[in-house]
Amino acid sequence: MDTNSRVKSGLISRRALRARFRETGIKWRLLLRNNLAKVCVGFIVLEIVVALFAPLIAPYPDDIGGAVHPQDKLEAPSWSHPFGTDEFGRDLFSRVLYGTRISLGAAAAAVGLALLVGVPLGALAGGIGGVVDDIIMRICDVFLSFPSVLLAIAIAVFLGPSLQNAILAIVISWWPWYTRILRSQAISLKERQFVRSARAIGSKRRAIVFRHIVPNSLGPLIVQASLDFGYVILTLAALSFLGLGAQSPTPEWGLLVNTSRNYFLNAPWYMIFPGLAITFTVLAFNILGDGVREVLDPRSRTY
Amino acid sequence: MLAFIIRRVALSILVVFGVLVITFLLTRVVPSDPVSQYVGPRATPEQRARAVEELGLDEPIYVQFGVYLSDLAHGDLGESLSSHQPVTKQMAEFLPPTLELVFVAIVFAMVIGVPMGVFSAQNKNRWPDHLARVISVGAISMPTFWLALMLQLVFFRWLHVLPLGGQLDAYYTLVDPVPRVTGFLFIDCIIAGNWGALWDYCVHLILPAISLGAGSLALLARMTRSSMLEILNEDYIIAARSYGLGEGVVLWKLALKNSLGPTATVTALTVGWLLVNTFLVEAIFNWPGIGNYIATAVTTLDYPAIIAVTLFSAVAYVILNMLADIVVALDPRVRQ
């Protein structure tokens, strides 16, 4: 490839990139025309801010850890404790706020790692094809034939209960989804004009896969991954609820609901607020997901 | 058609084999020290040496896998570490209550979910539709365990109308017990002719079945709504309407029947999902089933029990999926 054509290809890719940004911008604006989706975006942004600054926002930062105030135990919600207090007198509002950081952070880690495993394997399967494709996809089939929560539970048990291991368990049960998406993208991209041209000018297969196929598949993949957030948060909460995730005194939402089981009949706030936090977060991701799907695939909009 | 079924069954066998490999790897490779897991951390060196031999850990890994497979073929899944009973025997004991609960939850989800979807499609973009969609997206987003606790709070603590948990009232367990014949309490009550117990059992089923079935209900409602909307635009529906057939006949007889294909698939998928969710629900309602069994096994790290339940649920899930695929493929429109 001479210098001239390299500049040209650079130019072309920059122009292509700009077009793609413009397209993303249009879709984003379409999405925000949906009021419900707008509310969800706002809520998620708010949660991210809360997650980043939780220790600064929390009215009782000490209560995030293992502080004990026996004189305040199981107090009903009031101005000084908007969500009430738990069995050690800790402020539940502070703990639920901090839980945002744990849930969003852990979900981001799980989805990110699953992408990191799933994408290269999908690229291999779709890009190379043949026996490699068969082997990788059959392994995916096996993993996808488990209900993912079941596999995550089994793995978490054997790894030992901790938040890191819960994340790892979700990654192990989750990566095949991304492998599958990337593979199907790769297979359809392989026949597109620009990939054929790259092949025609003699690019190496690895270069084609990583320079053309992977970057062009990332769009749908990232959308899918962000939509999976809600489900991953639910799975993490379920693992913690079973005692396989975060351990006390970490204020993880699922764990908070689990510990509340001994007290909730007389101290319902202890159970209600962490559960509402999970529900609203997952709800926001799910509604946003529906909105995104409608924008990306207008046929799914059945009205 | 036959070729498709053979291919589908072969794939399922392959997948089940993969499931066996994964569970084997979980027990032998993931734990850094399977021996201490077996004998406990304070065992003497002699005990450890004996455990290595008993577990066959001195054999090469493929021999271990062979032994694992042959044990499985003989229905030997090992002994529970906490109760020292064969795991298969315990599974047989705990399975009937779970199957009953899952069955009732599925029926609940279908009886409410499918009409909700039809109703939603009928009133597209009017308030009943919006309400149904809010309910279904809410039910999907709610953690199952939290819904269960909320139902207990409302119906037991606040309204005093439903029991907190268990299968029967103390009166029927202590004073007028139902003899265990099949393990399915529903059937046992009928065999014993104990109608009071049967009624009591139904009352105890309500909350667990709702918490378990809510997610499936939402999925079914969504699925039915979207396939109904698609079908309501078909020519034969327009023809039926122009013949002057009543809207009830058009919706419930013509359209619904043809929209049930995808619904069947979702139902099969949802059974696997329900089996897993019993892990969360049964412990809360003190329901003596598989889910409660595994929830306890998880806290006591009873590995053989966990493996047995994992294997069982995964295999059930694979088989149900296979059946759903085959049933759907029987539809001549899909076959082409």
Side-chain angles (χ1 to χ4, degrees):
Chain A
M1 209 192 280
D2 60 25
T3 333
N4 196 22
S5 73
R6 197 170 292 171
V7 168
K8 253 187 207 156
S9 76
L11 259 178
I12 288 166
S13 77
R14 208 174 303 152
R15 203 181 297 156
L17 212 62
R18 207 179 300 147
R20 207 171 299 152
F21 274 133
R22 200 179 313 130
E23 203 183 334
T24 315
I26 292 170
K27 284 181 175 152
W28 181 245
R29 252 168 287 149
L30 265 178
L31 177 69
L32 288 189
R33 221 185 269 166
N34 177 344
N35 280 327
L36 210 51
K38 212 187 289 175
V39 173
C40 292
V41 170
F43 184 71
I44 291 168
V45 170
L46 179 73
E47 285 212 310
I48 293 172
V49 172
V50 168
L52 289 176
F53 301 105
L56 301 177
I57 304 172
Y60 302 89
D62 291 343
D63 290 0
I64 291 164
V68 178
H69 320 287
Q71 70 280 12
D72 303 327
K73 76 171 188 182
L74 296 175
E75 271 177 28
S78 62
W79 283 114
S80 51
H81 300 289
F83 290 0
T85 62
D86 68 4
E87 78 274 29
F88 294 116
R90 290 176 296 203
D91 178 46
L92 275 169
F93 183 63
S94 305
R95 290 177 70 72
V96 171
L97 275 189
Y98 196 78
T100 316
R101 171 183 279 197
I102 297 169
S103 285
L104 291 189
V111 171
L113 287 171
L115 281 171
L116 223 54
V117 177
V119 166
L121 286 173
L124 269 178
I128 295 178
V131 185
V132 179
D133 183 23
D134 272 340
I135 293 176
I136 293 178
M137 289 329 285
R138 289 301 82 76
I139 294 176
C140 281
D141 281 342
V142 171
F143 275 91
L144 294 178
S145 67
F146 272 101
S148 52
V149 186
L150 174 69
L151 186 58
I153 289 173
I155 296 169
V157 166
F158 283 92
L159 290 173
S162 77
L163 185 60
Q164 280 84 350
N165 287 344
I167 293 172
L168 199 59
I170 290 177
V171 173
I172 296 175
S173 57
W174 205 254
W175 63 269
W177 292 107
Y178 301 134
T179 302
R180 229 186 217 190
I181 294 172
L182 199 90
R183 171 180 177 270
S184 64
Q185 286 283 326
I187 285 176
S188 71
L189 283 172
K190 246 173 33 182
E191 299 311 316
R192 292 273 291 275
Q193 197 65 49
F194 68 97
V195 178
R196 286 183 172 191
S197 321
R199 213 178 299 145
I201 61 169
S203 298
K204 296 250 163 43
R205 190 151 61 177
R206 196 194 314 161
I208 293 177
V209 168
F210 286 102
R211 198 173 302 153
H212 297 292
I213 292 183
V214 172
N216 280 298
S217 327
L218 282 183
L221 203 66
I222 287 170
V223 169
Q224 183 60 44
S226 53
L227 302 188
D228 288 342
F229 251 70
Y231 191 81
V232 169
I233 289 173
L234 268 186
T235 309
L236 267 170
L239 286 177
S240 296
F241 180 78
L242 286 171
L244 292 171
Q247 299 295 310
S248 172
T250 317
E252 204 277 341
W253 292 335
L255 182 64
L256 288 181
V257 177
N258 188 23
T259 35
S260 80
R261 273 167 68 190
N262 293 327
Y263 313 98
F264 81 99
L265 288 175
N266 284 321
W269 57 87
Y270 193 173
M271 179 266 292
I272 291 175
F273 290 109
L276 279 181
I278 304 174
T279 306
F280 279 127
T281 309
V282 178
L283 196 64
F285 278 108
N286 282 348
I287 294 177
L288 188 63
D290 285 350
V292 170
R293 213 167 292 131
E294 276 177 10
V295 170
L296 292 185
D297 178 17
R299 266 172 314 160
S300 77
R301 184 170 31 189
T302 36
Y303 49 84
Chain B
M1 188 63 216
L2 193 65
F4 170 78
I5 292 180
I6 291 172
R7 205 156 6 105
R8 192 64 188 77
V9 172
L11 179 67
S12 303
I13 292 172
L14 183 78
V15 166
V16 168
F17 184 76
V19 168
L20 294 177
V21 172
I22 292 178
T23 48
F24 174 74
L25 291 179
L26 273 180
T27 50
R28 297 298 160 89
V29 179
V30 175
S32 49
D33 189 3
V35 178
S36 332
Q37 227 168 57
Y38 189 70
V39 292
R42 262 173 293 189
T44 61
E46 293 83 56
Q47 281 174 318
R48 292 182 64 91
R50 206 167 58 228
V52 167
E53 213 165 292
E54 268 176 39
L55 289 171
L57 290 174
D58 44 355
E59 308 272 0
I61 195 94
Y62 57 88
V63 175
Q64 291 186 36
F65 187 58
V67 172
Y68 176 74
L69 288 185
S70 94
D71 281 352
L72 272 180
H74 293 98
D76 179 7
L77 286 167
E79 273 180 8
S80 156
L81 296 185
S82 49
S83 69
H84 294 286
Q85 280 188 329
V87 171
T88 32
K89 191 177 147 224
Q90 287 190 313
M91 288 271 293
E93 190 180 322
F94 291 125
L95 201 49
T98 297
L99 292 182
E100 272 182 334
L101 180 58
V102 167
F103 178 75
V104 174
I106 281 278
V107 170
F108 161 74
M110 285 175 78
V111 166
I112 311 272
V114 172
M116 199 164 112
V118 175
F119 197 60
S120 205
Q122 187 185 1
N123 295 289
K124 186 179 70 180
N125 285 338
R126 270 174 290 176
W127 69 265
D129 181 29
H130 292 309
L131 180 69
R133 293 172 81 183
V134 167
I135 292 175
S136 55
V137 74
I140 289 175
S141 309
M142 232 180 257
T144 310
F145 54 86
W146 186 65
L147 175 62
L149 292 171
M150 285 300 285
L151 289 173
Q152 284 186 330
L153 183 67
V154 173
F155 291 97
F156 172 77
R157 181 69 175 85
W158 290 348
L159 300 178
H160 308 285
V161 287
L162 289 171
L164 188 61
Q167 283 189 301
L168 289 173
D169 224 38
Y171 177 81
Y172 290 106
T173 49
L174 301 174
V175 183
D176 187 8
V178 179
R180 185 188 170 96
V181 184
T182 57
F184 293 95
L185 202 53
F186 224 78
I187 300 170
D188 286 353
C189 285
I190 294 172
I191 291 176
N194 193 338
W195 308 115
L198 186 64
W199 171 250
D200 193 46
Y201 180 49
C202 291
V203 169
H204 279 80
L205 259 169
I206 296 174
L207 291 187
I210 293 178
S211 4
L212 195 57
S216 318
L217 184 155
L219 282 178
L220 281 174
R222 280 174 73 134
M223 203 63 232
T224 310
R225 175 182 183 274
S226 65
S227 61
M228 281 291 282
L229 284 177
E230 224 164 83
I231 282 171
L232 285 176
N233 284 326
E234 299 269 340
D235 289 347
Y236 76 94
I237 295 290
I238 299 170
R241 278 189 178 142
S242 59
Y243 277 140
L245 289 181
E247 194 62 5
V249 178
V250 171
L251 275 178
W252 296 95
K253 270 191 96 169
L254 297 177
L256 180 60
K257 213 186 277 175
N258 283 295
S259 74
L260 285 180
T263 311
T265 320
V266 173
T267 311
L269 286 178
T270 214
V271 173
W273 192 74
L274 285 180
L275 272 176
V276 175
N277 271 309
T278 56
F279 298 0
L280 301 166
V281 170
E282 285 187 359
I284 294 174
F285 289 103
N286 199 14
W287 196 262
I290 293 283
N292 208 348
Y293 178 55
I294 200 165
T296 324
V298 160
T299 50
T300 58
L301 299 184
D302 190 344
Y303 300 98
I306 292 158
I307 283 299
V309 176
T310 308
L311 267 179
F312 169 79
S313 312
V315 171
Y317 189 70
V318 171
I319 291 175
L320 282 167
N321 267 336
M322 182 184 78
L323 290 180
D325 278 1
I326 291 176
V327 167
V328 168
L330 287 175
D331 185 336
R333 286 168 304 182
V334 178
R335 220 183 301 166
Q336 281 152 13

